[in-house]
Amino acid sequence: MQFKHPEILYFLLLLIVPIFIHLFQLRRFKKEYFTNVRFLKALTIQSRKSSKIKKWLLLVTRLLLLTALILAFAQPLSSSEEKSKSQKNLFIILDNSFSMQAKGKKGELLKRAIEDLLETTPETIRFSLLTNTEQFWDTDIKSIQKELQNLHYNATPFELDRLLNQIEARPSLFQKEIIVISDAIGLASKRLTTVAKTDAISFIVPKAEQQNNVSIDSVFIRQTLDDLYEIGVQISNYGENKQPISMGLYDKNKLIAKSMVVFKKQKQIIPFTIPKKEFHGYVGIVDNRLTFDNTFYFSIGENQKIKVLSVGEVSKSAFLSRIYTNDEFEYQNNTLAQLDYNQLEEKDAIVLNELEEIPQALLTTLQSFVNKGGNLILIPSAKASISNLNSLIKEIGNSEFKSFNAKEKLITKIHFNHPVFKNVFENTISNFQYPKTNTSFLIESTSPAVLSYPDQSQFLVNSNLGAGTVSIFNAPLNVENSNFQQSPLIVPVFYQLAQSNQMNVVDEITIGNKDSYFVKTNVAKEGLLTIKNENEQFIPIQQILDTRVKMNFGEYPKQAGNFSIYNNKKQIRNISFNYNRTESNLFQINEKLLSDFDQIDAISTIFNRIETENNDSQIWKWFLIFALIFLITETAIIRFVK
């Protein structure tokens, strides 16, 4: 047995005091002489013996009473309880994503959670704290006080599984107790159930008092006119916001257009018209709920024509010349015999249109073209051999032609969420005249489908491979085999497939997006591109690919805004960054997931329980009970023992 306050045990030495009092009476007996009567003398002897027994009983009960009291104040701990004290490692996961910017009863949810941690966490408790981007392992509240006070909202959405994996990777001989402090907006996890089998998990879910919110989701070019761009600003209205809000369009920091938005449905598109020239600014609204999604930064670059090369018969490629017009494209068609391989890498997009045979030299050149950022579009010929087609796409397309089918099929499925159709359709189309193919190949592909048949087989697949993209049709598109050329889909599909990376589109990147970004420029071997604005500067991960540079931004920049790309000191391009909007909807709390786990009201509850489990033994209560019993026993002896 061990004691929480062992120093109190020194008071046991005071037990010698009642022993001295009982054994050495300071008062001497006085002799009293009575009549020499035998009966009285015997009675006196008997009374003296009874008094001795009573005194010894009182001595024992008083010693036991004092001992029990002293032991109770020393708070004994059993060895099993000491063992349980060291068997739990405490981990706190604190969500500092932008949804925690919402206001609760006592202010912003994140700031209030930090205040609670600082006020209620005992300095003696050691724990580990993880946020969306930072980790503090095996620390105490005093050591990380400044870091917590300076903790900012982070653009990275809350990913519970990633943080749980980090905790699980930490070696520990004892059970882990995990406390998750999050508003549970968009909460998803595949690891919770598995982790809960071995470790204790509890949730603290602070609630926002006001869940209504308005968010700017995206900005895109609706149509291109002779001298103007018509852009669309998509906003989302979560909750019951009935009051109109003000929206402004700013070029750099200059207000150039303004509109009042009256909410008629959850998602709306607000149109603006701007001059057809470079644009570097933002669109903003006035909304006092969540503020991170009130501003959307975007850039529109100089109007550069996209270089498209079609390789195939002129008669079969006529429809492409009607799509790739001179105002936006530099379109060229060559037969295979006329093709100059040295010019291929100068193009932005290449269409292989129903070639019966693809030479090996062309295969090698096209692989290099895609790896360096080019867009390849393959329309197979019914007369092409499957082995020849596969020799190309197996290397760069993650796909494989399996067989040829002479069966008519309707193209009925449009995958609206595919990046090819980003900002193409304002509404989901469910009723239109389906195009068809008379013959087609069966394709097996790990790439996502853009268009498909009723049996879920793929008509068009598209994927990012290397630094470029590869798009594969499964059927010839000539008018004898398909009416796809007459379909309303033909223009947006081919227009989007040929779009070179970040050319002639609204240029904006979501912070944390893992996709590669390409910019056309010539960089010296040891040169580096830098991205900066007046507040922040960083050098992204980059790879030089002849006339292009491939960049990956990771978690940079830290703050959304308008930036510029510099080659040495020369500005070569504008670019804009925005926060992820996945946490704008404060109604998407995953109650079903939370229902399977303990939920507590405040962090102080956890520490009170830990203090009780770790330090507060029930044994001291038993010693108090024993002391009370001995006190009652002493009273009974004094009263009833003669």
Side-chain angles (χ1 to χ4, degrees), residues 19-75:
I19 294 175
F20 279 129
I21 292 174
H22 281 74
L23 294 181
F24 302 101
Q25 294 284 350
L26 298 178
R27 181 173 58 85
R28 293 183 178 181
F29 287 102
K30 292 182 180 180
K31 292 183 180 181
E32 297 288 344
Y33 297 96
F34 292 91
T35 307
N36 189 11
V37 179
R38 182 178 298 177
F39 174 76
L40 292 175
K41 188 176 181 180
L43 184 61
T44 301
I45 294 171
Q46 184 179 357
S47 298
R48 286 182 178 177
K49 288 182 179 179
S50 176
S51 178
K52 275 187 176 182
I53 294 172
K54 181 177 180 180
K55 288 178 181 179
W56 279 108
L57 289 174
L58 286 173
L59 174 62
V60 172
T61 53
R62 286 168 180 169
L63 289 174
L64 292 174
L65 169 62
L66 290 173
T67 302
L69 283 173
I70 292 170
L71 291 176
F73 280 106
Q75 294 190 24

Side-chain angles (χ1 to χ4, degrees), residues 78-92:
S78 67
S79 59
S80 61
E81 288 169 328
E82 275 295 298
K83 184 177 179 181
S84 69
K85 178 180 177 180
S86 62
Q87 277 186 331
K88 284 188 178 180
N89 288 340
L90 179 62
F91 295 86
I92 299 174

Side-chain angles (χ1 to χ4, degrees), residues 410-527:
L410 291 177
I411 305 164
T412 60
K413 180 68 174 177
I414 304 174
H415 298 272
F416 293 99
N417 293 328
H418 195 284
V420 167
F421 291 130
K422 181 181 179 181
N423 298 325
V424 171
F425 300 100
E426 293 186 6
N427 298 301
T428 300
I429 300 173
S430 58
N431 184 19
F432 69 103
Q433 187 175 0
Y434 300 124
K436 67 177 182 177
T437 58
N438 297 325
T439 61
S440 60
F441 290 90
L442 176 64
I443 296 179
E444 284 188 0
S445 178
T446 57
S447 301
V450 181
L451 299 168
S452 56
Y453 299 104
D455 60 1
Q456 304 306 314
S457 60
Q458 298 161 320
F459 170 70
L460 171 61
V461 294
N462 170 272
S463 59
N464 295 318
L465 294 162
T469 63
V470 177
S471 305
I472 304 169
F473 289 88
N474 83 325
L477 300 185
N478 60 73
V479 293
E480 289 79 15
N481 187 65
S482 173
N483 64 349
F484 189 71
Q485 291 188 28
Q486 287 76 48
S487 168
L489 292 173
I490 186 72
V491 174
V493 166
F494 274 90
Y495 185 93
Q496 293 290 96
L497 295 182
Q499 283 283 346
S500 184
N501 291 288
Q502 294 84 41
M503 287 184 65
N504 300 341
V505 293
V506 170
D507 210 353
E508 62 85 18
I509 307 293
T510 300
I511 297 175
N513 191 322
K514 307 300 182 186
D515 293 342
S516 300
Y517 182 91
F518 302 88
V519 59
K520 277 191 171 184
T521 187
N522 292 313
V523 180
K525 270 192 174 182
E526 303 300 324

